[in-house]
Structures are given as C-alpha cells and as structure tokens.
Amino acid sequence: MTRLFLYVFIIIILGLAFAALDAYNFNIIFDFGAKSWKFSALFGISILFLGLLVIYLFVSFLRQLFLAPRRLIANRKNAQKQQYETLLTDTIASYISDDKSRTDNLFAKLSAISDHKNSPSLNGLHKLVYPLIEAQTLKQAGKNHAALKRYEDLAGQKDENSATIGLHMLYKAALQRGDIEAAHNYCRELFKANKTIGWVNNNLLGHYIATGNWQLAQDLWQEIEVASTKSMRSSMAFHNSKALFSIARAQELMSNNLKQAEEFAQRAYGLDSKNINIINIYSQILFKRDEARKAIKLCEAGWKEFAHPDLAETYIYGEKNLLAEARFDRAQKLAELQPENVYSYLALSKTALQWDRPSAAMDYVEKAIKAEPLARCYNLAKIIKEKLGKSYNLPELLYDYAWCADGMALLRWQAVAPLSKILGAVIWQKIAKISLMQDFTTKPLESKGESND
C-alpha cells in the first residue's frame, strides 16, 4: 500500500511538472553550422524522459539475463534444502507417531541421499537420523542397553529436534518396562522444551488427573494455552484434549457437586458434541439433576450419530423409578432411531426380559445375533434360555467390543488410561477370541482387532 501511494505521488509530481512546462513553454534552438533545430522545451523534456526510461529498461533486461544462471542455481539449492527440511520433519513425525510404514519409507529416502552425507545442508539431518538407525539396529540385535545409550545421547543434544526424539524413545522404553514414573519424568522434560506436543500434554494432564491433582492439571492447561498459537488453539486435537479434560473433571465431581459437574460437562459438550462419552456422562449428570427431558433429547441425538451400549444403558436406566414397561418403551424408541442395529435389539431383549417377557426377549436377542454375533448377545441368549428352562449350545470363541487401554479391556470408559495414565488413550476396540467363560472386561486382551471408534 505504501508503494502504491509513492507511485501515485510521483505521477502527480510529473504531471504538475509537465503542466508547468506547457504553461510556460519556450523554444529551444540548436545551431550546427548552417543547420539549426528548433523545438519546444516540453518536447525536449519528454524525449529526454523517454530516453532515460528506455535505457533503464535495457539495463534491467541485461541484468536479469546475466543473473539468470545464478538464480537457477540458487533456486535448485533452495529446493534441495526444502527437500531435506521436509525429510527432517518426516523423521520427527514418524518416530513420535510410531508409524512403522512411514519410518520405513523415510529410511528408503535416506538411502537415496546417503552419498551426500558430508553435505553441509545435511548435517542436521544426519546428526539426527543416523544415531536413530544405529539405535534401532542395536535394539533389533537385543542390545537394549546400548540402544538406550544412543537415545540418551540424542536427548542430551542441544538441537531441539534431536532432544525431542531422544526423550520420546526413552519415554517409550520406560513404558515398555513398566516404569510409569520414569516415563512421566521424560514427559516433563519434553514439556519444558516444547509445550505444544499433544501426546506429551495428554500424558502430563492424565497423570495429574489420575492422581487427583486438579489444580496442577488446571495450571498445566493454562501453560499449554499460553504456549499454543491461534491455529493450534483452533485445531480439532486441541479442542478434543480440552473437552476430555473438562469431562474428566465433570465425572470426578458427579459424586459430590452435580451443579459444577454439569458446568464442566456442558463445556466439554460445547467443544466436542460428537464424542459419545461426553454425551453419555453429560446425560447421566442431567438425569441425576432431575433434568430428564434434556437428558433424553441429548441421548437420542447421540444415538442417531452412533449407537453405543453405554448410551443405551444411560437412556433406559438413567432415570430412577421407571417401571419395566416404560424402560421397554425407551428401548423401542432406540430401535426406531437405529433399526436393525445389534445394540437396539439387545436393549429390547434386556428390557423385555426384565418386564418378564422371556419369549419376546429371545426373539430380539436372535435378531441381535443375526445383526452381529457378539459375545454379549450369546451370553444374554444363554440367560434367557435358562429362564425358559431350555439348553442352549454356544460357540466356544467369539468376539466383542470393549473400552481398551494399556493392553487390557475395561469395564467402563474413563478419561485416563489406568496404567500409562494418558488422557484420551481409552478407545472402543474389537476383542477377538473371547471365551464365554472368560471375564473379558477385566483380563488382559489375548488378541486385539481394529478400533471401531
């Protein structure tokens, strides 16, 4: 904008100058022997101005022409530098995210440029990557102590990227050997260096939440907000972490301060209205506060998005003193919202059984098995058959879904993983090879399938 005003000012000055010459015009005469040239001052100044302009443009053209090879070389170097910087970023991301395929692809790229190891542009890259390759080789050979030494060397470097990856690998090693306190300390060191790494923040927040240090957790979150840029604060990952922190606080307050619990739950719902656990806990609080109508609307909206058994349980049993018939009616409403869904049929079957309608309950559970043969369907079918005085042949091994974290299934969702104490690490996951005699909600998982979140 300043340059535009400058150009306009120059044009105005030139215009005034030429206007003055036109107003006070006079003739200029050049005599060369017998010949003489006569022209006006305005014409002469115009020719001089145009001549200078042509000379300027010609010199600029020659300058661009001679500088072109140098600029091509500079552009090539900048492109190469950008490629190496991208590779360095990929190195950090692949290790921090534990993406094996991405890491393998990274090493393939590294081998392609290994001939340029002594290039000044690659110093930072090789100082970071080659110690990692060496540490990985040592770890695969079973030399864990030597590999840890390489990670410690990286963690002790002044370069922020090297220190970040070194501390992350030490953190992973501490988790693998079950040293949760050491893993937490490594996260604290990482947080001091960089307060915007999401998994580090979730680890520290989760640790404080699990130990009941809510004031420390609140102070930590304020530090994270101050350190985060505007784009970071508007990201989905940031909102999810903040929502989980709020719903964890709401869950903790449910037993002694329902009003404050509702405030935190409402805040969490405002940040992430699609999270089934936030909807579920918020609804539970509303039922406890005798705000059944609001809770019912919330549950129904959540059920339309994602039919989940936890939400069905809150919807049907959250309100006290309901008769068995009223609970069956609510199960029918769920079935209307999500027809032919396994959890809709299970809700109908359970409430029908509690209403002392075992034959109807059996019909619904058979439909649930056809929809998806989960272990919980067969367990319910066995209970109904026994109530009817009949035998029921059950498959030996089945599958189901449960909230999982730290290699085991949990009875209920919780904001923080029970062992690693990481915020948001509990996920809804498929469990394969479940024995009907096994209590899969408390024992370690034998086999894990894909997440169904």
PDB file of all heavy atoms in Angstrom, residues 406-435:
ATOM      1  N   ASP A 406      -3.871 -49.818  27.463  1.00  0.00           N
ATOM      2  CA  ASP A 406      -2.750 -50.486  28.123  1.00  0.00           C
ATOM      3  C   ASP A 406      -2.814 -52.006  27.985  1.00  0.00           C
ATOM      4  O   ASP A 406      -2.442 -52.758  28.892  1.00  0.00           O
ATOM      5  CB  ASP A 406      -2.702 -50.112  29.610  1.00  0.00           C
ATOM      6  CG  ASP A 406      -2.520 -48.628  29.832  1.00  0.00           C
ATOM      7  OD1 ASP A 406      -1.854 -47.995  28.979  1.00  0.00           O
ATOM      8  OD2 ASP A 406      -3.042 -48.093  30.817  1.00  0.00           O
ATOM      9  N   GLY A 407      -3.325 -52.493  26.844  1.00  0.00           N
ATOM     10  CA  GLY A 407      -3.349 -53.922  26.595  1.00  0.00           C
ATOM     11  C   GLY A 407      -4.407 -54.691  27.336  1.00  0.00           C
ATOM     12  O   GLY A 407      -4.322 -55.918  27.455  1.00  0.00           O
ATOM     13  N   MET A 408      -5.417 -54.033  27.868  1.00  0.00           N
ATOM     14  CA  MET A 408      -6.491 -54.755  28.546  1.00  0.00           C
ATOM     15  C   MET A 408      -7.816 -54.057  28.314  1.00  0.00           C
ATOM     16  O   MET A 408      -7.866 -52.880  27.948  1.00  0.00           O
ATOM     17  CB  MET A 408      -6.199 -54.876  30.040  1.00  0.00           C
ATOM     18  CG  MET A 408      -6.073 -53.552  30.769  1.00  0.00           C
ATOM     19  SD  MET A 408      -5.639 -53.824  32.494  1.00  0.00           S
ATOM     20  CE  MET A 408      -5.542 -52.143  33.077  1.00  0.00           C
ATOM     21  N   ALA A 409      -8.888 -54.826  28.505  1.00  0.00           N
ATOM     22  CA  ALA A 409     -10.243 -54.285  28.363  1.00  0.00           C
ATOM     23  C   ALA A 409     -10.722 -53.761  29.708  1.00  0.00           C
ATOM     24  O   ALA A 409     -10.366 -54.290  30.760  1.00  0.00           O
ATOM     25  CB  ALA A 409     -11.174 -55.369  27.847  1.00  0.00           C
ATOM     26  N   LEU A 410     -11.539 -52.712  29.646  1.00  0.00           N
ATOM     27  CA  LEU A 410     -12.043 -52.069  30.867  1.00  0.00           C
ATOM     28  C   LEU A 410     -13.554 -52.224  30.941  1.00  0.00           C
ATOM     29  O   LEU A 410     -14.225 -52.332  29.922  1.00  0.00           O
ATOM     30  CB  LEU A 410     -11.677 -50.582  30.865  1.00  0.00           C
ATOM     31  CG  LEU A 410     -10.208 -50.238  30.613  1.00  0.00           C
ATOM     32  CD1 LEU A 410     -10.036 -48.727  30.513  1.00  0.00           C
ATOM     33  CD2 LEU A 410      -9.315 -50.801  31.692  1.00  0.00           C
ATOM     34  N   LEU A 411     -14.061 -52.216  32.148  1.00  0.00           N
ATOM     35  CA  LEU A 411     -15.496 -52.353  32.351  1.00  0.00           C
ATOM     36  C   LEU A 411     -16.234 -51.109  31.861  1.00  0.00           C
ATOM     37  O   LEU A 411     -17.308 -51.203  31.279  1.00  0.00           O
ATOM     38  CB  LEU A 411     -15.791 -52.594  33.837  1.00  0.00           C
ATOM     39  CG  LEU A 411     -17.246 -52.875  34.209  1.00  0.00           C
ATOM     40  CD1 LEU A 411     -17.743 -54.124  33.501  1.00  0.00           C
ATOM     41  CD2 LEU A 411     -17.392 -53.020  35.713  1.00  0.00           C
ATOM     42  N   ARG A 412     -15.641 -49.931  32.088  1.00  0.00           N
ATOM     43  CA  ARG A 412     -16.249 -48.664  31.689  1.00  0.00           C
ATOM     44  C   ARG A 412     -15.203 -47.756  31.049  1.00  0.00           C
ATOM     45  O   ARG A 412     -14.003 -47.901  31.288  1.00  0.00           O
ATOM     46  CB  ARG A 412     -16.831 -47.945  32.910  1.00  0.00           C
ATOM     47  CG  ARG A 412     -17.976 -48.648  33.600  1.00  0.00           C
ATOM     48  CD  ARG A 412     -19.229 -48.595  32.784  1.00  0.00           C
ATOM     49  NE  ARG A 412     -20.356 -49.237  33.449  1.00  0.00           N
ATOM     50  CZ  ARG A 412     -21.486 -49.528  32.856  1.00  0.00           C
ATOM     51  NH1 ARG A 412     -21.657 -49.210  31.591  1.00  0.00           N
ATOM     52  NH2 ARG A 412     -22.469 -50.120  33.516  1.00  0.00           N
ATOM     53  N   TRP A 413     -15.712 -46.797  30.270  1.00  0.00           N
ATOM     54  CA  TRP A 413     -14.802 -45.784  29.730  1.00  0.00           C
ATOM     55  C   TRP A 413     -14.322 -44.878  30.855  1.00  0.00           C
ATOM     56  O   TRP A 413     -15.063 -44.571  31.802  1.00  0.00           O
ATOM     57  CB  TRP A 413     -15.523 -44.939  28.689  1.00  0.00           C
ATOM     58  CG  TRP A 413     -14.642 -43.826  28.146  1.00  0.00           C
ATOM     59  CD1 TRP A 413     -13.739 -43.933  27.135  1.00  0.00           C
ATOM     60  CD2 TRP A 413     -14.589 -42.473  28.599  1.00  0.00           C
ATOM     61  NE1 TRP A 413     -13.120 -42.726  26.921  1.00  0.00           N
ATOM     62  CE2 TRP A 413     -13.617 -41.802  27.814  1.00  0.00           C
ATOM     63  CE3 TRP A 413     -15.242 -41.764  29.594  1.00  0.00           C
ATOM     64  CZ2 TRP A 413     -13.307 -40.462  27.975  1.00  0.00           C
ATOM     65  CZ3 TRP A 413     -14.933 -40.418  29.762  1.00  0.00           C
ATOM     66  CH2 TRP A 413     -13.977 -39.780  28.973  1.00  0.00           C
ATOM     67  N   GLN A 414     -13.074 -44.462  30.762  1.00  0.00           N
ATOM     68  CA  GLN A 414     -12.535 -43.456  31.657  1.00  0.00           C
ATOM     69  C   GLN A 414     -11.617 -42.544  30.853  1.00  0.00           C
ATOM     70  O   GLN A 414     -11.055 -42.948  29.833  1.00  0.00           O
ATOM     71  CB  GLN A 414     -11.783 -44.111  32.826  1.00  0.00           C
ATOM     72  CG  GLN A 414     -10.717 -45.109  32.433  1.00  0.00           C
ATOM     73  CD  GLN A 414     -10.270 -45.970  33.610  1.00  0.00           C
ATOM     74  OE1 GLN A 414     -11.028 -46.776  34.132  1.00  0.00           O
ATOM     75  NE2 GLN A 414      -9.017 -45.788  34.020  1.00  0.00           N
ATOM     76  N   ALA A 415     -11.498 -41.321  31.300  1.00  0.00           N
ATOM     77  CA  ALA A 415     -10.752 -40.324  30.523  1.00  0.00           C
ATOM     78  C   ALA A 415      -9.266 -40.633  30.451  1.00  0.00           C
ATOM     79  O   ALA A 415      -8.590 -40.272  29.493  1.00  0.00           O
ATOM     80  CB  ALA A 415     -10.965 -38.940  31.125  1.00  0.00           C
ATOM     81  N   VAL A 416      -8.745 -41.321  31.471  1.00  0.00           N
ATOM     82  CA  VAL A 416      -7.310 -41.578  31.576  1.00  0.00           C
ATOM     83  C   VAL A 416      -7.059 -43.080  31.592  1.00  0.00           C
ATOM     84  O   VAL A 416      -7.770 -43.829  32.277  1.00  0.00           O
ATOM     85  CB  VAL A 416      -6.745 -40.935  32.863  1.00  0.00           C
ATOM     86  CG1 VAL A 416      -5.268 -41.255  33.031  1.00  0.00           C
ATOM     87  CG2 VAL A 416      -6.959 -39.420  32.832  1.00  0.00           C
ATOM     88  N   ALA A 417      -6.051 -43.522  30.832  1.00  0.00           N
ATOM     89  CA  ALA A 417      -5.689 -44.943  30.824  1.00  0.00           C
ATOM     90  C   ALA A 417      -5.214 -45.360  32.219  1.00  0.00           C
ATOM     91  O   ALA A 417      -4.476 -44.610  32.874  1.00  0.00           O
ATOM     92  CB  ALA A 417      -4.599 -45.197  29.793  1.00  0.00           C
ATOM     93  N   PRO A 418      -5.586 -46.561  32.688  1.00  0.00           N
ATOM     94  CA  PRO A 418      -5.303 -46.930  34.078  1.00  0.00           C
ATOM     95  C   PRO A 418      -3.829 -47.121  34.416  1.00  0.00           C
ATOM     96  O   PRO A 418      -3.409 -46.803  35.533  1.00  0.00           O
ATOM     97  CB  PRO A 418      -6.066 -48.261  34.249  1.00  0.00           C
ATOM     98  CG  PRO A 418      -6.247 -48.778  32.864  1.00  0.00           C
ATOM     99  CD  PRO A 418      -6.360 -47.582  31.985  1.00  0.00           C
ATOM    100  N   LEU A 419      -3.022 -47.608  33.476  1.00  0.00           N
ATOM    101  CA  LEU A 419      -1.612 -47.863  33.773  1.00  0.00           C
ATOM    102  C   LEU A 419      -0.709 -46.736  33.267  1.00  0.00           C
ATOM    103  O   LEU A 419       0.083 -46.165  34.024  1.00  0.00           O
ATOM    104  CB  LEU A 419      -1.174 -49.204  33.161  1.00  0.00           C
ATOM    105  CG  LEU A 419      -1.899 -50.445  33.686  1.00  0.00           C
ATOM    106  CD1 LEU A 419      -1.355 -51.702  33.012  1.00  0.00           C
ATOM    107  CD2 LEU A 419      -1.758 -50.557  35.198  1.00  0.00           C
ATOM    108  N   SER A 420      -0.812 -46.426  31.972  1.00  0.00           N
ATOM    109  CA  SER A 420       0.054 -45.390  31.391  1.00  0.00           C
ATOM    110  C   SER A 420      -0.377 -43.987  31.791  1.00  0.00           C
ATOM    111  O   SER A 420       0.402 -43.040  31.662  1.00  0.00           O
ATOM    112  CB  SER A 420       0.066 -45.506  29.865  1.00  0.00           C
ATOM    113  OG  SER A 420      -1.250 -45.359  29.350  1.00  0.00           O
ATOM    114  N   LYS A 421      -1.620 -43.846  32.283  1.00  0.00           N
ATOM    115  CA  LYS A 421      -2.142 -42.548  32.753  1.00  0.00           C
ATOM    116  C   LYS A 421      -2.095 -41.475  31.657  1.00  0.00           C
ATOM    117  O   LYS A 421      -1.696 -40.334  31.889  1.00  0.00           O
ATOM    118  CB  LYS A 421      -1.390 -42.074  33.999  1.00  0.00           C
ATOM    119  CG  LYS A 421      -1.606 -42.972  35.215  1.00  0.00           C
ATOM    120  CD  LYS A 421      -0.858 -42.439  36.424  1.00  0.00           C
ATOM    121  CE  LYS A 421      -1.199 -43.240  37.670  1.00  0.00           C
ATOM    122  NZ  LYS A 421      -0.803 -44.656  37.562  1.00  0.00           N
ATOM    123  N   ILE A 422      -2.518 -41.853  30.449  1.00  0.00           N
ATOM    124  CA  ILE A 422      -2.544 -40.924  29.322  1.00  0.00           C
ATOM    125  C   ILE A 422      -3.984 -40.484  29.082  1.00  0.00           C
ATOM    126  O   ILE A 422      -4.887 -41.315  28.987  1.00  0.00           O
ATOM    127  CB  ILE A 422      -1.964 -41.568  28.050  1.00  0.00           C
ATOM    128  CG1 ILE A 422      -0.513 -41.985  28.276  1.00  0.00           C
ATOM    129  CG2 ILE A 422      -2.059 -40.606  26.864  1.00  0.00           C
ATOM    130  CD1 ILE A 422       0.086 -42.765  27.128  1.00  0.00           C
ATOM    131  N   LEU A 423      -4.198 -39.192  28.973  1.00  0.00           N
ATOM    132  CA  LEU A 423      -5.526 -38.649  28.710  1.00  0.00           C
ATOM    133  C   LEU A 423      -5.958 -39.012  27.291  1.00  0.00           C
ATOM    134  O   LEU A 423      -5.226 -38.786  26.325  1.00  0.00           O
ATOM    135  CB  LEU A 423      -5.509 -37.125  28.878  1.00  0.00           C
ATOM    136  CG  LEU A 423      -6.826 -36.386  28.642  1.00  0.00           C
ATOM    137  CD1 LEU A 423      -7.855 -36.751  29.708  1.00  0.00           C
ATOM    138  CD2 LEU A 423      -6.592 -34.879  28.622  1.00  0.00           C
ATOM    139  N   GLY A 424      -7.168 -39.587  27.163  1.00  0.00           N
ATOM    140  CA  GLY A 424      -7.710 -39.902  25.852  1.00  0.00           C
ATOM    141  C   GLY A 424      -7.198 -41.182  25.234  1.00  0.00           C
ATOM    142  O   GLY A 424      -7.415 -41.419  24.038  1.00  0.00           O
ATOM    143  N   ALA A 425      -6.524 -42.040  26.013  1.00  0.00           N
ATOM    144  CA  ALA A 425      -5.941 -43.269  25.464  1.00  0.00           C
ATOM    145  C   ALA A 425      -6.909 -44.446  25.476  1.00  0.00           C
ATOM    146  O   ALA A 425      -6.625 -45.490  24.894  1.00  0.00           O
ATOM    147  CB  ALA A 425      -4.670 -43.636  26.235  1.00  0.00           C
ATOM    148  N   VAL A 426      -8.050 -44.318  26.137  1.00  0.00           N
ATOM    149  CA  VAL A 426      -9.031 -45.401  26.193  1.00  0.00           C
ATOM    150  C   VAL A 426      -9.915 -45.339  24.949  1.00  0.00           C
ATOM    151  O   VAL A 426     -10.551 -44.312  24.692  1.00  0.00           O
ATOM    152  CB  VAL A 426      -9.897 -45.306  27.470  1.00  0.00           C
ATOM    153  CG1 VAL A 426     -10.915 -46.439  27.516  1.00  0.00           C
ATOM    154  CG2 VAL A 426      -9.015 -45.343  28.717  1.00  0.00           C
ATOM    155  N   ILE A 427      -9.927 -46.418  24.173  1.00  0.00           N
ATOM    156  CA  ILE A 427     -10.660 -46.424  22.907  1.00  0.00           C
ATOM    157  C   ILE A 427     -11.604 -47.626  22.851  1.00  0.00           C
ATOM    158  O   ILE A 427     -11.393 -48.634  23.521  1.00  0.00           O
ATOM    159  CB  ILE A 427      -9.712 -46.450  21.688  1.00  0.00           C
ATOM    160  CG1 ILE A 427      -8.825 -47.703  21.719  1.00  0.00           C
ATOM    161  CG2 ILE A 427      -8.872 -45.193  21.618  1.00  0.00           C
ATOM    162  CD1 ILE A 427      -8.004 -47.888  20.460  1.00  0.00           C
ATOM    163  N   TRP A 428     -12.644 -47.505  22.038  1.00  0.00           N
ATOM    164  CA  TRP A 428     -13.607 -48.584  21.796  1.00  0.00           C
ATOM    165  C   TRP A 428     -13.006 -49.505  20.748  1.00  0.00           C
ATOM    166  O   TRP A 428     -12.763 -49.104  19.618  1.00  0.00           O
ATOM    167  CB  TRP A 428     -14.916 -47.986  21.310  1.00  0.00           C
ATOM    168  CG  TRP A 428     -16.064 -48.926  21.141  1.00  0.00           C
ATOM    169  CD1 TRP A 428     -16.678 -49.245  19.969  1.00  0.00           C
ATOM    170  CD2 TRP A 428     -16.770 -49.636  22.167  1.00  0.00           C
ATOM    171  NE1 TRP A 428     -17.709 -50.115  20.203  1.00  0.00           N
ATOM    172  CE2 TRP A 428     -17.797 -50.374  21.546  1.00  0.00           C
ATOM    173  CE3 TRP A 428     -16.611 -49.729  23.558  1.00  0.00           C
ATOM    174  CZ2 TRP A 428     -18.673 -51.177  22.250  1.00  0.00           C
ATOM    175  CZ3 TRP A 428     -17.497 -50.532  24.262  1.00  0.00           C
ATOM    176  CH2 TRP A 428     -18.515 -51.248  23.616  1.00  0.00           C
ATOM    177  N   GLN A 429     -12.768 -50.771  21.130  1.00  0.00           N
ATOM    178  CA  GLN A 429     -11.937 -51.639  20.297  1.00  0.00           C
ATOM    179  C   GLN A 429     -12.505 -53.049  20.234  1.00  0.00           C
ATOM    180  O   GLN A 429     -13.140 -53.531  21.174  1.00  0.00           O
ATOM    181  CB  GLN A 429     -10.514 -51.685  20.867  1.00  0.00           C
ATOM    182  CG  GLN A 429      -9.471 -52.232  19.930  1.00  0.00           C
ATOM    183  CD  GLN A 429      -8.080 -52.052  20.510  1.00  0.00           C
ATOM    184  OE1 GLN A 429      -7.859 -52.266  21.695  1.00  0.00           O
ATOM    185  NE2 GLN A 429      -7.135 -51.656  19.687  1.00  0.00           N
ATOM    186  N   LYS A 430     -12.258 -53.683  19.116  1.00  0.00           N
ATOM    187  CA  LYS A 430     -12.692 -55.057  18.923  1.00  0.00           C
ATOM    188  C   LYS A 430     -11.763 -56.012  19.660  1.00  0.00           C
ATOM    189  O   LYS A 430     -10.541 -55.876  19.596  1.00  0.00           O
ATOM    190  CB  LYS A 430     -12.706 -55.388  17.427  1.00  0.00           C
ATOM    191  CG  LYS A 430     -13.225 -56.781  17.104  1.00  0.00           C
ATOM    192  CD  LYS A 430     -13.233 -56.984  15.596  1.00  0.00           C
ATOM    193  CE  LYS A 430     -13.733 -58.378  15.235  1.00  0.00           C
ATOM    194  NZ  LYS A 430     -13.748 -58.573  13.767  1.00  0.00           N
ATOM    195  N   ILE A 431     -12.364 -56.987  20.363  1.00  0.00           N
ATOM    196  CA  ILE A 431     -11.587 -58.016  21.047  1.00  0.00           C
ATOM    197  C   ILE A 431     -11.939 -59.351  20.416  1.00  0.00           C
ATOM    198  O   ILE A 431     -13.110 -59.738  20.374  1.00  0.00           O
ATOM    199  CB  ILE A 431     -11.901 -58.077  22.555  1.00  0.00           C
ATOM    200  CG1 ILE A 431     -11.862 -56.690  23.161  1.00  0.00           C
ATOM    201  CG2 ILE A 431     -10.953 -59.008  23.267  1.00  0.00           C
ATOM    202  CD1 ILE A 431     -12.328 -56.645  24.577  1.00  0.00           C
ATOM    203  N   ALA A 432     -10.949 -60.047  19.920  1.00  0.00           N
ATOM    204  CA  ALA A 432     -11.172 -61.336  19.269  1.00  0.00           C
ATOM    205  C   ALA A 432     -10.900 -62.478  20.241  1.00  0.00           C
ATOM    206  O   ALA A 432     -10.215 -62.312  21.259  1.00  0.00           O
ATOM    207  CB  ALA A 432     -10.275 -61.473  18.045  1.00  0.00           C
ATOM    208  N   LYS A 433     -11.441 -63.639  19.920  1.00  0.00           N
ATOM    209  CA  LYS A 433     -11.192 -64.884  20.669  1.00  0.00           C
ATOM    210  C   LYS A 433     -11.581 -64.764  22.138  1.00  0.00           C
ATOM    211  O   LYS A 433     -10.774 -64.963  23.037  1.00  0.00           O
ATOM    212  CB  LYS A 433      -9.722 -65.306  20.544  1.00  0.00           C
ATOM    213  CG  LYS A 433      -9.297 -65.613  19.118  1.00  0.00           C
ATOM    214  CD  LYS A 433      -7.849 -66.051  19.055  1.00  0.00           C
ATOM    215  CE  LYS A 433      -7.427 -66.347  17.630  1.00  0.00           C
ATOM    216  NZ  LYS A 433      -6.017 -66.743  17.540  1.00  0.00           N
ATOM    217  N   ILE A 434     -12.825 -64.402  22.376  1.00  0.00           N
ATOM    218  CA  ILE A 434     -13.327 -64.320  23.741  1.00  0.00           C
ATOM    219  C   ILE A 434     -13.997 -65.641  24.107  1.00  0.00           C
ATOM    220  O   ILE A 434     -14.870 -66.126  23.389  1.00  0.00           O
ATOM    221  CB  ILE A 434     -14.349 -63.186  23.894  1.00  0.00           C
ATOM    222  CG1 ILE A 434     -13.695 -61.853  23.588  1.00  0.00           C
ATOM    223  CG2 ILE A 434     -14.964 -63.173  25.284  1.00  0.00           C
ATOM    224  CD1 ILE A 434     -14.680 -60.721  23.533  1.00  0.00           C
ATOM    225  N   SER A 435     -13.585 -66.225  25.199  1.00  0.00           N
ATOM    226  CA  SER A 435     -14.271 -67.399  25.714  1.00  0.00           C
ATOM    227  C   SER A 435     -15.467 -66.927  26.531  1.00  0.00           C
ATOM    228  O   SER A 435     -15.395 -65.950  27.261  1.00  0.00           O
ATOM    229  CB  SER A 435     -13.333 -68.220  26.605  1.00  0.00           C
ATOM    230  OG  SER A 435     -14.072 -69.216  27.297  1.00  0.00           O
TER     231      SER A 435
END
